Amino acid sequence: MTGPHITLDDLSVDFDGRFQLHDVTWAIAPGEQWLITGANGSGKSALAAVLAGEGDITSGTLSGLPDGVALVSYERQAELIAAELRKDDADILDVISDGTPVAEVIADGCLDEQLAEELVDTLGLRPLMDRAFRKLSTGETRKVMLIRALTSGPDLLVLDEPFDGLDHDSLLWLRGYLTDRAKTLPMVMVLNRFDECPDFITHMAYVEDGRLLHQVDRADERAFGELHQLLHLKTSDLEVPAGDPAIELPALNPDEPLVQIKRATVRYTDNVVFENLDWTIEANQHWQVSGPNGSGKTCLLSLITGDHPQCYVNDITVFGFQRGTGESIWQIKQYIGYVSTALQWEYRVGTSLRNVIISGFYDSIGLYTRSTDTQKAIADDWLALLGMTDRADEPFNAMSFGEQRLALIARAMVKHPPLLILDEPCLGLDDMNRQLVLALIERICAGSTTTVLYVNHRTQDHIPGIDQHLAL
Amino acid sequence: MANYFNTLSLREQLAELGKCRFMHLDEFSDGVEALKGKKMVVIGCGAQGLNQGLNLRDSGLDVSYALREGAIAEQRQSWKNATENGFTVGTYEELLPTADVVLNLTPDKQHTNVVNTIMPMMKQGACLSYSHGFNIVEEGMQVRDDITVIMVAPKCPGSEVRAEYVRGFGVPTLIAVHEDNDPNGEGLALAKAYAVGTGGHKAGVLMSSFIAEVKSDLMGEQTILCGMLQTGSLLCFDKMIEEGVEPGYAAKLIQYGWETVTEALKYGGVTNMMDRLSNPAKIRAFELSEQMKDIMRPLYNKHQDDIMTGAFSSGMMEDWANDDAKLLGWRADTAETAFEKTEAGDVEISEQEYFDNGILMVAMVKAGVELAFETMTAAGIIADSAYYESLHETPLIANTIARKKLYEMNATISDTAEYGCYLYNHACVPLLADFMTGVTAADIGVGLDLDDTAVDNARLIEVNAAIRSHPVEEIGAELRGYMADMKRIV
């Protein structure tokens, strides 16, 4: 395959003072297909946009850029819509204008009408051709953008998160189509999710803080592996470390729900948190709990964990124990793994990171029992998974909030509890670790031993496998 | 009622004072079994009452709260505490007749009144539990013969009792059975189960006697724990001001200094606290503490003697009868002291600086701990007990000063401790006046001017040996070792 030979030499670029790329040295040789990756805000979209001629070069050189660079990105999409809205404002006629119809937007700059027709049908846009472009949904707009880019006869295709917002069928089709086009068309792609990386990608660039830190040839398996690890996005081969075989919980009755709450009410002298709440949680029925701040999500969960004292005045059965009939709180907690911000506040202990994870086997804050070698090994597996191996002996209370949170998530999962309660687990995590944690939860949901209760505000943190929903 | 201790023969007195044994974890293998299904009713819903109740219930026990009718009708704080935490609340009349165990967690001065009120309501063969033996030992309360009388005393504030339990641990706890009231021989089993219920067995339980608990507890709190810290705070502050140290700095050095230096005490005894000083500073602190021990020894002896004879408690009970006139007056005086009225400055003081610039404070802690320990053991109190009532508790009290100076300390400790603390302070301040004239800013506030940290080898060896061989260090190492055996990984 022939193609452009693009060279960025010590290039610094400014984007309206809002963002800068620094000292980027990068060469795209003919025949190479690149993926740019990095955390949110790292500058990967900016780097892609530079190839489409955006930004002001403040130093260094950029050469070899072909004439026809087609860019699909959220920013471009937003610009087009903004331009449509401006047109509307500019209309001096007293008629209601919906703006440019889809057909016109697609035809604008189109060099391959036959392909455009094909793509319109394939992507299901045919019924929308007369509709105003700005009335389309986000996913539909994205499809129009893709068609424009693909039919513009590009010499280089720059795709920033092309799969985002597409429905499943369209996504599968696009992957196949791009794989086909990639044989003759050079591409640079930006992806958040490592596991979406198409097979035709030959090289990867890793961006952090506006700098191009790593360039990896996919054929170099070791370097590729390291980058993979660096990204923590090991969703394809992510393995949850095993539990401790030496800890055997008293068996639960499989015919009984894990949790049964009947007409629960939590009240204080001056207010009622909630009233007459019923909730039954069957084993392997994963739940998401949502609700505005102050609606009592955390309070409800602590009725289950036994941390809320009013669990004793409500009709609550957990793991076969009717609460308040002589069971101890440790008999309850042995079945539960738990993460919440409240727990993190309470976890003010100077013990090591490794011990914090091991404490999950004992449901304790701090470690008061000599742990076994097996438990230490399991904790080390978790630390490796979290990329924190070299910090195992550092004191927990000296770590950042996000690091503490990761350790507490491992602590909650370490024993593969029958019930895993995650109260806004991703709070304080950066994007990489958030995805790692979501992937872990997804894995745990897919297994048959742990039931997950998941409290979350952020809808994008939806986890496949969690299909029950309780809204407070 | 007569002082119970004074009714015993010397032989019996010594036997009771000598009771104190560190119990091993395997002695608690029955867990809470002895209390399972029994109805436990708590009287007093303050910090100890509420938090012990929360722990006991979380351990699977049946806990409810008996309040006076007025407290329920007016929905007072005690009523709120109990109901918001999901406990059954009832009047004495409603709950006590069916109670198997009554937990008296009210302040000392209410004990006589409370016990006299509840005794007629308690059922035959029930158990009455105290967390402090003052009422039995000093006031000579006679409890009905059929009632079992035990003591379970967590050696920490109520909030800590709860916090440590929630963490999966507990706080060191002292248990005892009143021999005169153990009709069914079940007192020890009940006390052990109670200690398990509060999580105390995980942190270490001392089996003691009512008498040893009272006589050592009073001595510890009056002298090193509260008295010495109060006197030390006032003297050190005034000295620093006299030497021209900035008042905000001086206030901060003292307010947080006690906590910082006694934290070192907690981990490694007097030895470790002294080891945090440079060699010249250590030798200086040692010398200061030796001088103070000589000066203060008669005062420590007097406190112990007054405690043993009952003179202390009868004096305090007179003040009780007089509406706490003295106590309240002394409390007001404390609030007016220069240290109390000077706010801690907004200055950075590093952890090490508290040692380097607080040589006199370190010396005071050392002198107070050692003297209290020596005095208690000389009076027949066993070393284990003396250790807990001196060195072990000092950091806990120091924490209260860090929170809100002497006001917080005196508000947190019992009225009994507070009364004794003021007695000590009134005697100790003038006693040390002369000594303080020989103290300079190098000892408190500024630190030694150390261009050269050279010391004489022979002198250093001598000082180190004296510090390390003190009996409080021997028993301390052993008891802290048990704690490590309890497998707390700090």
Side-chain angles (χ1 to χ4, degrees):
Chain A
M1 188 174 80
T2 58
H5 198 302
I6 305 165
T7 309
L8 286 69
D9 190 14
D10 215 10
L11 187 75
S12 294
V13 185
D14 177 69
F15 293 82
D16 300 330
R18 286 176 289 115
F19 190 84
Q20 286 82 33
L21 286 171
H22 307 283
D23 315 322
V24 177
T25 296
W26 186 23
I28 301 176
E32 293 176 355
Q33 305 285 8
W34 282 81
L35 173 73
I36 306 174
T37 187
N40 290 353
S42 59
K44 49 188 193 302
S45 293
L47 184 56
V50 165
L51 299 176
E54 297 196 3
D56 298 316
I57 294 174
T58 51
S59 66
T61 58
L62 167 62
S63 62
L65 213 53
D67 293 336
V69 180
L71 168 66
V72 175
S73 71
Y74 271 120
E75 288 75 13
R76 274 287 161 93
Q77 199 169 333
E79 279 164 26
L80 201 57
I81 289 172
E84 280 294 302
L85 291 173
R86 276 198 301 276
K87 265 190 215 165
D88 199 17
D89 288 341
D91 197 344
I92 54 163
L93 298 171
D94 187 22
V95 292
I96 297 167
S97 161
D98 286 337
T100 319
V102 171
E104 252 177 70
V105 173
I106 290 176
D108 176 35
C110 176
L111 296 180
D112 189 339
E113 279 178 33
Q114 195 193 330
L115 176 61
E117 291 298 309
E118 275 176 42
L119 294 179
V120 163
D121 286 326
T122 310
L123 289 170
L125 293 183
R126 182 64 63 197
L128 305 176
M129 292 301 276
D130 295 331
R131 189 169 301 179
F133 175 67
R134 66 177 166 85
K135 299 269 174 179
L136 298 186
S137 73
T138 314
E140 289 160 351
T141 320
R142 175 51 61 113
K143 288 176 182 175
V144 171
M145 299 293 294
L146 280 166
I147 293 172
R148 273 164 60 101
L150 291 166
T151 60
S152 64
D155 305 310
L156 172 68
L157 191 56
V158 182
L159 301 169
D160 187 348
E161 292 291 350
F163 305 121
D164 247 25
L166 292 188
D167 52 64
H168 188 66
D169 288 349
S170 304
L171 188 150
L172 284 183
W173 172 83
L174 182 62
R175 284 175 74 93
Y177 181 77
L178 290 177
T179 305
D180 199 39
R181 286 292 292 268
K183 288 171 193 154
T184 54
L185 176 61
M187 293 187 203
V188 173
M189 198 177 276
V190 174
L191 286 179
N192 255 326
R193 291 181 61 110
F194 208 79
D195 58 352
E196 283 180 351
C197 176
D199 291 338
F200 63 80
I201 294 293
T202 61
H203 288 75
M204 299 199 191
Y206 175 75
V207 182
E208 199 176 292
D209 288 336
R211 291 169 199 278
L212 178 56
L213 287 191
H214 301 288
Q215 301 181 41
V216 171
D217 186 336
R218 204 169 181 177
D220 180 349
E221 283 182 25
R222 210 181 121 204
F224 179 74
E226 280 170 5
L227 182 63
H228 203 141
Q229 206 172 10
L230 174 71
L231 289 167
H232 289 241
L233 296 174
K234 304 199 287 185
T235 46
S236 53
D237 62 350
L238 185 72
E239 264 194 53
V240 179
D244 181 358
I247 295 181
E248 272 187 54
L249 294 177
L252 294 171
N253 181 349
D255 299 328
E256 275 183 28
L258 293 179
V259 176
Q260 189 151 38
I261 296 177
K262 293 179 186 164
R263 295 175 307 284
T265 299
V266 171
R267 74 160 60 84
Y268 297 103
T269 324
D270 46 3
N271 77 312
V272 175
V273 182
F274 50 72
E275 277 181 301
N276 296 321
L277 189 142
D278 289 300
W279 195 16
T280 301
I281 300 168
E282 303 285 352
N284 291 313
Q285 201 185 54
H286 308 302
W287 285 80
Q288 176 159 6
V289 180
S290 63
N293 293 337
S295 58
K297 300 184 294 293
T298 300
C299 176
L300 175 60
L301 296 181
S302 52
L303 284 182
I304 297 173
T305 61
D307 291 321
H308 197 294
Q310 292 189 24
C311 65
Y312 290 101
V313 286
N314 279 295
D315 184 352
I316 298 172
T317 305
V318 278
F319 315 111
F321 296 105
Q322 169 84 40
R323 290 312 316 271
T325 57
E327 77 293 344
S328 94
I329 192 152
W330 309 109
Q331 286 175 294
I332 307 294
K333 285 186 185 268
Q334 63 182 340
Y335 295 103
I336 298 175
Y338 181 53
V339 177
S340 73
T341 304
L343 173 74
Q344 192 163 348
W345 298 142
E346 277 168 31
Y347 216 113
R348 288 172 282 107
V349 174
T351 192
S352 72
L353 191 56
R354 183 189 288 112
N355 281 344
V356 168
I357 295 177
I358 294 174
S359 72
F361 287 115
Y362 301 100
D363 312 309
S364 58
I365 292 178
L367 190 57
Y368 309 102
T369 306
R370 196 124 18 239
S371 52
T372 65
D373 289 345
T374 309
Q375 289 167 349
K376 288 193 185 97
I378 294 169
D380 285 342
D381 287 346
W382 276 98
L383 288 166
L385 186 66
L386 302 175
M388 299 171 100
T389 299
D390 52 345
R391 314 195 60 186
D393 297 314
E394 289 184 25
F396 177 77
N397 55 5
M399 307 217 151
S400 77
F401 186 88
E403 290 166 335
Q404 290 188 350
R405 183 51 71 102
L406 277 181
L408 291 178
I409 287 168
R411 173 186 178 270
M413 294 180 173
V414 72
K415 63 178 178 179
H416 290 248
L419 184 63
L420 179 61
I421 300 180
L422 302 162
D423 189 350
E424 299 202 67
C426 295
L427 217 72
L429 297 185
D430 61 28
D431 195 56
M432 300 279 187
N433 285 318
R434 189 168 61 84
Q435 294 191 43
L436 173 65
V437 166
L438 294 177
L440 279 170
I441 299 171
E442 187 182 333
R443 282 298 155 114
I444 283 175
C445 287
S448 59
T449 54
T450 295
T451 301
V452 175
L453 300 188
Y454 176 54
V455 175
N456 187 31
H457 283 302
R458 298 174 57 147
T459 47
Q460 70 263 43
D461 288 349
H462 171 75
I463 293 171
I466 297 187
D467 38 21
Q468 307 284 329
H469 187 211
L470 177 74
L472 285 176
Chain B
M1 292 192 299
N3 186 304
Y4 171 70
F5 181 70
N6 293 346
T7 67
L8 301 180
S9 70
L10 176 62
R11 204 171 39 257
E12 288 168 323
Q13 288 178 337
L14 289 175
E16 287 294 308
L17 284 170
K19 267 191 199 162
C20 186
R21 180 175 72 81
F22 192 91
M23 300 180 77
H24 287 275
L25 196 52
D26 55 19
E27 295 180 63
F28 296 92
S29 54
D30 289 340
V32 294
E33 208 47 49
L35 287 169
K36 265 272 164 173
K38 297 211 163 151
K39 200 163 144 55
M40 303 179 78
V41 175
V42 180
I43 303 195
C45 196
Q48 282 293 346
L50 177 63
N51 288 304
Q52 287 191 29
L54 287 167
N55 290 2
L56 292 165
R57 182 175 63 178
D58 275 346
S59 295
L61 300 174
D62 176 0
V63 180
S64 47
Y65 285 79
L67 301 180
R68 292 185 188 277
E69 235 164 295
I72 297 174
E74 293 165 31
Q75 307 201 342
R76 282 187 212 144
Q77 194 57 41
S78 56
W79 177 86
K80 261 190 204 171
N81 288 348
T83 46
E84 291 196 343
N85 281 290
F87 286 106
T88 304
V89 177
T91 60
Y92 287 12
E93 292 76 8
E94 284 165 349
L95 295 179
L96 293 175
T98 54
D100 297 297
V101 183
V102 177
L103 287 65
N104 173 19
L105 296 170
T106 58
D108 283 343
K109 73 174 67 158
Q110 294 176 20
H111 281 189
T112 296
N113 185 6
V114 165
V115 174
N116 283 332
T117 308
I118 66 176
M119 219 176 350
M121 301 181 201
M122 286 176 66
K123 75 176 178 191
Q124 197 73 15
C127 173
L128 174 63
S129 169
Y130 284 89
S131 64
H132 189 26
F134 191 90
N135 183 235
I136 294 285
V137 176
E138 300 294 317
E139 297 186 89
M141 171 60 70
Q142 301 286 315
V143 180
R144 231 170 57 202
D145 286 344
D146 62 287
I147 293 176
T148 303
V149 175
I150 62 171
M151 172 162 46
V152 177
K155 299 269 99 186
C156 280
S159 53
E160 280 296 301
V161 171
R162 179 61 180 164
E164 286 292 344
Y165 181 90
V166 169
R167 286 176 189 158
F169 199 53
V171 304
T173 300
L174 186 149
I175 64 173
V177 178
H178 186 36
E179 302 283 332
D180 292 5
N181 279 89
D182 191 14
N184 312 313
E186 61 179 11
L188 180 58
L190 292 172
K192 278 180 4 183
Y194 183 167
V196 172
T198 56
H201 66 304
K202 293 182 182 173
V205 173
L206 284 174
M207 192 160 89
S208 183
S209 68
F210 271 65
I211 285 168
E213 189 273 337
V214 170
K215 300 297 186 186
S216 60
D217 187 71
L218 290 174
M219 180 62 188
E221 67 195 17
Q222 293 177 13
T223 57
I224 171 60
L225 300 177
C226 309
M228 189 72 242
L229 295 185
Q230 168 137 357
T231 301
S233 298
L234 302 179
L235 290 180
C236 289
F237 184 80
D238 291 347
K239 186 71 192 179
M240 280 191 269
I241 298 309
E242 187 188 313
E243 293 282 324
V245 175
E246 198 273 314
Y249 180 89
K252 183 163 185 181
L253 188 72
I254 294 169
Q255 182 174 353
Y256 300 98
W258 296 122
E259 182 182 45
T260 307
V261 300
T262 60
E263 181 78 1
L265 193 69
K266 181 166 98 186
Y267 282 93
V270 175
T271 302
N272 182 56
M273 178 180 70
M274 295 291 281
D275 282 348
R276 294 297 308 271
L277 296 166
S278 67
N279 284 330
K282 183 199 277 185
I283 291 173
R284 178 66 181 157
F286 177 80
E287 285 163 351
L288 290 170
S289 85
E290 289 297 293
Q291 292 173 34
M292 282 189 284
K293 279 175 76 173
D294 283 344
I295 298 167
M296 297 191 299
R297 190 176 303 276
L299 178 62
Y300 279 67
N301 285 339
K302 178 179 179 351
H303 273 266
Q304 187 69 79
D305 292 347
D306 287 351
I307 289 165
M308 287 298 180
T309 60
F312 164 75
S313 50
S314 60
M316 180 176 67
M317 285 187 278
E318 273 172 33
D319 195 46
W320 290 357
N322 196 23
D323 294 330
D324 297 320
K326 284 183 183 169
L327 180 78
L328 296 174
W330 294 336
R331 189 182 287 173
D333 291 346
T334 300
E336 291 305 312
T337 58
F339 167 64
E340 231 17 42
K341 293 175 86 171
T342 307
E343 205 165 317
D346 185 17
V347 280
E348 273 296 311
I349 303 182
S350 75
E351 202 241 5
Q352 186 57 42
E353 190 177 332
Y354 282 109
F355 289 91
D356 296 340
N357 293 0
I359 297 170
L360 178 60
M361 293 168 74
V362 172
M364 283 173 164
V365 171
K366 176 180 183 292
V369 165
E370 291 181 355
L371 264 183
F373 182 86
E374 289 167 26
T375 315
M376 281 191 252
T377 49
I381 293 165
I382 211 162
D384 306 46
S385 211
Y387 169 83
Y388 272 98
E389 301 298 350
S390 59
L391 195 153
H392 170 80
E393 288 205 27
T394 306
L396 298 171
I397 303 296
N399 288 347
T400 64
I401 297 181
R403 281 204 293 271
K404 232 174 154 189
K405 300 211 249 185
L406 299 176
Y407 169 82
E408 178 74 9
M409 175 181 84
N410 287 317
T412 306
I413 61 180
S414 67
D415 284 359
T416 309
E418 188 179 0
Y419 186 90
C421 165
Y422 296 140
L423 282 184
Y424 175 95
N425 184 56
H426 295 150
C428 197
V429 169
L431 198 58
L432 287 175
D434 200 33
F435 163 83
M436 288 303 291
T437 58
V439 166
T440 68
D443 300 317
I444 183 71
V446 177
L448 298 180
D449 189 11
L450 290 178
D451 283 341
D452 182 5
T453 54
V455 288
D456 178 60
N457 276 322
R459 180 61 179 150
L460 183 63
I461 290 167
E462 193 183 11
V463 165
N464 276 336
I467 295 167
R468 285 158 171 61
S469 65
H470 191 278
V472 77
E473 292 299 275
E474 279 172 36
I475 187 68
E478 188 186 328
L479 291 175
R480 287 192 298 274
Y482 285 147
M483 288 283 287
D485 271 356
M486 292 282 174
K487 293 167 189 162
R488 169 160 214 184
I489 298 168
V490 180

